[in-house]
Amino acid sequence: MSRKALITGITGQDGSYLAELLVAKGYEVHGLVRRVALEDPGHRLRRITTVRDQIVLHAGSLESFPSLFQVVRQTQPDECYHLAAQSFVSYSFDDEFSTLNTNINGTHYVLAALTAAAPECRFYFAGSSEMFGKVEETPQAETTRFHPRSAYGISKVAGFDLTRNYREAYGLHASSGILFNHESPRRGYEFVTRKITAGAAAIASGKARELRLGNLEARRDWGHAPDYVEAMWAMLQQDTPDDYVVATGETHSVREFCEMAFSLVGLDYREHVVTDPALYRPAEVDMLVGNAAKARKALGWCSRTDFQSLVRMMVEADCCAAGVEPGNRR
Ligand code: NAP
Ligand code: GDD
C-alpha cells in the first residue's frame, strides 16, 4: 500500500513542489486548501495543475481546529508536512495579530489534531531562518540562538517550540526544518526575488520603466525551492525526529540580485531601480547565511543550484511570460 501524505499549504510555492515530489515517489497525496481555492481553481490552484488529477484536496483552514481535525481523521496520513502560513514578513508588520493567530494557532491545531487522531503520523514544521533575525553568530546553525525581528519570525519561533514540545511531551515524530530563503519561478510576486525578475522582464519588454524596492543592502542565503522540499522529505524518513538547517552557505545582497537579473536582460539596474524608503521594514534582518553541515551529514542533503543559475532560471521564466527574449531589450 502506498504511504499517505497530508500537505498544508499545498497551493504555495513549496507545497506545489513537494506534492510533485511525493506523487513521483508513489505517495497518496492529500492537500489542505482554503474553501475559496476550490471556488477559484484557475487562479488559486495554478501551481498544482501538473498534479491536480493525482492528488486529493480537502477544504479547511488554519483558523479552524474542527476542519483540521476532520481532515486528519479522514485521511489518516503517515506523514504531515505543515507548510501553510502567512509567509510574507513585510505583511506581518501591517497585521501582527492575524499573522500570530494564523501561524501559531494553526501549527498548534495541526499538532493537536495529529496527536488525537493520527498519533503515529510523522510531522514536518516549516521553520525559518527569520527565527535567527538579528543574528548572534555567522553562519547560523541549529545551535544559534533565535532573535526574531518581526511578528512572522516570532510566530515561527513559537511553532518551532510547539513542535519540539509535542515531540518531547507526546512522543510525536515531529521535526522542524530551519529553511533559509528559497526561490523559483513559482515564487509569489511580493517576495523580492520575484519582484526583481518580473520587474526586469516588464522593463525589458517595455511594459514598465522603473522598479521600486526597499533595502538593497539586505543579504540573504537564496536557494532553489525544489532542492529544499527534498530535505523536508528526508527529515521524515529518519528514525529519530530532529531539527535541521537547510541552506546553501552563500550570501548575496538584494543589490547583487538586481545587478545580475537586469544584466541578464541587457539592462543596468542603476538606471531602473528606485529605492523607496516606504518599502523599508521597521526592523530589518540584515544578513542571513546558513550552515547546513548537519543536514549534509545526517540526511545526505546538499543544495544543487548556485546563485547565478537560480537568478537565470527566474529571469528566463519571467521573460518568457512577458514575451521577451532574455538579453534582448525592446
Ligand atoms: P507561500 O507560497 O506563501 O504559501 C503559503 C501557503 O499557506 C499557501 O498554500 C496558502 O494558501 C497557505 N495558507 C496561508 N494561510 C492559510 C490559512 N489561513 N489556512 C490555510 N492555508 C493557508 O509560502 P512558501 O514559500 O511555499 O513557504 C511554505 C512554508 O515555509 C511557509 O510556512 C513559510 O513561512 C515557510 N518558509 C518559507 C521559506 C521560503 O523561502 N520560501 C523559508 C523558510 C520557511 P493560499 O494559496 O490559499 O493563500
Ligand atoms: N519583499 C520585498 N520587497 N523585500 C524587499 C524589497 C521589496 O521591495 N526591497 C528590499 N527588500 C528586502 C527585504 O527588506 C528583505 O531584507 C529581503 O529583501 C528579502 O525579502 P523577502 O523576499 O520578502 O523575503 P524575507 O527574507 O523577508 O522572507 C522570506 O524568507 C524567509 C526565510 O528567511 C519568506 O519566504 C519567509 O516566509 C521565509 O521564512
Side-chain angles (χ1 to χ4, degrees):
M1 243 181 37
S2 54
R3 290 179 71 71
K4 278 188 269 181
L6 173 63
I7 305 175
T8 73
I10 196 168
T11 56
Q13 171 189 257
D14 292 6
S16 67
Y17 286 116
L18 181 64
E20 289 171 4
L21 178 76
L22 297 180
V23 165
K25 287 185 183 292
Y27 278 71
E28 179 182 314
V29 175
H30 296 260
L32 179 94
V33 296
R34 298 193 241 207
R35 181 161 297 287
V36 66
L38 298 173
E39 288 161 5
D40 180 15
H43 173 59
R44 289 183 168 263
L45 302 182
R46 67 192 182 287
R47 293 190 178 103
I48 48 174
T49 45
T50 55
V51 288
R52 180 67 192 87
D53 297 339
Q54 294 151 275
I55 61 180
V56 186
L57 297 180
H58 305 263
S61 157
L62 288 189
E63 283 81 27
S64 157
F65 176 77
S67 74
L68 296 168
F69 181 77
Q70 197 174 330
V71 173
V72 167
R73 193 165 51 96
Q74 265 176 15
T75 56
Q76 289 294 308
D78 299 298
E79 297 172 15
C80 174
Y81 297 86
H82 175 45
L83 310 183
Q86 190 303 93
S87 73
F88 188 32
V89 175
S90 197
Y91 180 73
S92 79
F93 289 105
D94 297 333
D95 190 348
E96 295 175 353
F97 295 88
S98 75
T99 302
L100 294 171
N101 280 337
T102 301
N103 292 3
I104 300 178
N105 291 341
T107 302
H108 192 192
Y109 294 160
V110 174
L111 284 163
L114 288 172
T115 307
E120 298 306 315
C121 179
R122 295 182 174 195
F123 174 81
Y124 171 84
F125 173 65
S128 165
S129 49
E130 276 290 305
M131 300 190 301
F132 296 123
K134 189 170 164 52
V135 300
E136 301 204 355
E137 66 176 342
T138 295
Q140 296 85 52
E142 294 79 4
T143 47
T144 305
R145 250 184 2 148
F146 296 144
H147 186 146
R149 297 269 281 171
S150 62
Y152 170 82
I154 291 165
S155 77
K156 287 293 177 178
V157 172
F160 179 91
D161 283 338
L162 278 164
T163 301
R164 187 170 35 74
N165 203 46
Y166 268 71
R167 178 163 80 212
E168 293 172 2
Y170 308 117
L172 197 71
H173 189 295
S175 298
S176 289
I178 306 174
L179 270 55
F180 284 62
N181 300 49
H182 45 280
E183 319 294 313
S184 75
R186 295 185 195 170
R187 189 59 145 149
Y189 288 98
E190 66 272 42
F191 300 98
V192 78
T193 55
R194 189 73 195 279
K195 189 171 169 184
I196 295 168
T197 60
I203 293 168
S205 68
K207 291 183 191 120
R209 298 180 76 82
E210 66 171 35
L211 175 64
R212 301 186 84 78
L213 294 175
N215 179 10
L216 300 186
E217 310 314 328
R219 301 183 73 84
R220 289 291 182 274
D221 178 331
W222 279 299
H224 187 210
D227 295 348
Y228 284 44
V229 300
E230 289 182 10
M232 298 176 189
W233 174 78
M235 284 177 217
L236 297 206
Q237 309 318 305
Q238 304 305 303
D239 292 338
T240 311
D242 207 341
D243 308 318
Y244 301 90
V245 160
V246 176
T248 70
E250 262 188 46
T251 186
H252 296 274
S253 65
V254 173
R255 185 183 295 283
E256 284 168 54
F257 198 105
C258 287
E259 194 171 0
M260 185 165 295
F262 276 79
S263 76
L264 287 167
V265 295
L267 297 173
D268 183 339
Y269 82 96
R270 290 171 298 190
E271 292 170 14
H272 302 280
V273 171
V274 177
T275 303
D276 182 346
L279 294 171
Y280 276 63
R281 295 176 182 178
E284 178 64 286
V285 171
D286 295 318
M287 199 280 305
L288 291 172
V289 59
N291 172 359
K294 180 175 170 184
R296 194 157 45 246
K297 189 155 180 257
L299 309 177
W301 182 88
C302 64
S303 162
R304 291 193 303 263
T305 312
D306 65 27
F307 179 68
Q308 185 166 6
S309 309
L310 177 68
V311 181
R312 182 183 294 279
M313 115 178 43
M314 292 179 71
V315 167
E316 283 177 356
D318 280 322
C319 281
C320 183
V324 61
E325 285 284 314
N328 286 354
R329 187 180 167 183
R330 285 209 179 144

